[in-house]
C-alpha cells in the first residue's frame, strides 16, 4: 500500500532539489519521477510513520538522475524506494529506517534497472519493527539486474548488508 501523499512531489524533467530539509509526514517525504533531475545535499527524515511503500525518499520511474550528498533517515519502511535506469546514487548517508515494517531495507528496489550505479554511500543502523528480523542495507529484490554497486560502507544491519533475491 501507498498513501500517495508526499511532503514534496516532483515530476517532469531537469529539476534540481537542493539543500532542502524535508521531514515529518505519515507518507513519503520526497517523491521524484521523470528525467535528468539532480537531488543534492538534502536532509530528508522522519517520514512514512505508517510503514507503507512510501519512504523518506521515493524515486520511481526516474532516468539520468543524480542522487548525491543527501542524508536520509528514520522511515517506517525503506529509506529509499527506487525504480529507474541510468541513475547514480553517491555520497549519501542513509540510516535508521525499517522502524515499523519488516523485509525491507535502507535502499530497496525490485527487478532489472540497467546502468544504475550505487557508490560511495554509507548505509547503517537498521533493524525491523517486525518479527522476521529482515532489515537489510542494500536490497536488490526479485530478478534485480543491471546494477553497479561498489565502494559503499554498510554496517549494523539486522539482516544482511547486501541482499540479492531470485536470479539477481
Amino acid at each position: 500500500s501507498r498513501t500517495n501523499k508526499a511532503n514534496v512531489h516532483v515530476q517532469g524533467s531537469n529539476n534540481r532539489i537542493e539543500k532542502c530539509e524535508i521531514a515529518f509526514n505519515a507518507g513519503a517525504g520526497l517523491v521524484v519521477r521523470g528525467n535528468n533531475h539532480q537531488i543534492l545535499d538534502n536532509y530528508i527524515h522522519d517520514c512514512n510513520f505508517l510503514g507503507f511503500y512510501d519512504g523518506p525518499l521515493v524515486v520511481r520511474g526516474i532516468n539520468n538522475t543524480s542522487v548525491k550528498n543527501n542524508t536520509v533517515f528514520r522511515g517506517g519502511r525503506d529509506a529509499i524506494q527506487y525504480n529507474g535506469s541510468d541513475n547514480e546514487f553517491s555520497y549519501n548517508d542513509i540510516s535508521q529506517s525499517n522502524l515499523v515494517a519488516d523485509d525491507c531495507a535502507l535502499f530497496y528496489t525490485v527487478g532489472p534497472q540497467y546502468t544504475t550505479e550505487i557508490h560511495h554511500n554509507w548505509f547503517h543502523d537498521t533493524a525491523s519493527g517486525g518479527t522476521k528480523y529482515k532489515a537489510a542495507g542494500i536490497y536488490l529484490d526479485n530478478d534485480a539486474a543491471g546494477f553497479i554497486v561498489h565502494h559503499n560502507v554498510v554496517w549494523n544491519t539486522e539482516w544482511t548488508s547486501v541482499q540479492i533475491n531470485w536470479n539477481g
Side-chain angles (χ1 to χ4, degrees), residues 99-141:
L99 299 174
V100 176
D102 210 342
D103 193 16
C104 40
L106 296 169
F107 181 97
Y108 179 84
T109 190
V110 61
Q113 288 144 74
Y114 291 94
T115 58
T116 293
E117 188 172 7
I118 304 167
H119 67 90
H120 294 93
N121 299 286
W122 287 357
F123 295 99
H124 59 98
D125 299 310
T126 187
S128 66
T131 59
K132 296 178 184 176
Y133 304 105
K134 291 173 76 174
I138 301 168
Y139 194 167
L140 308 178
D141 205 358

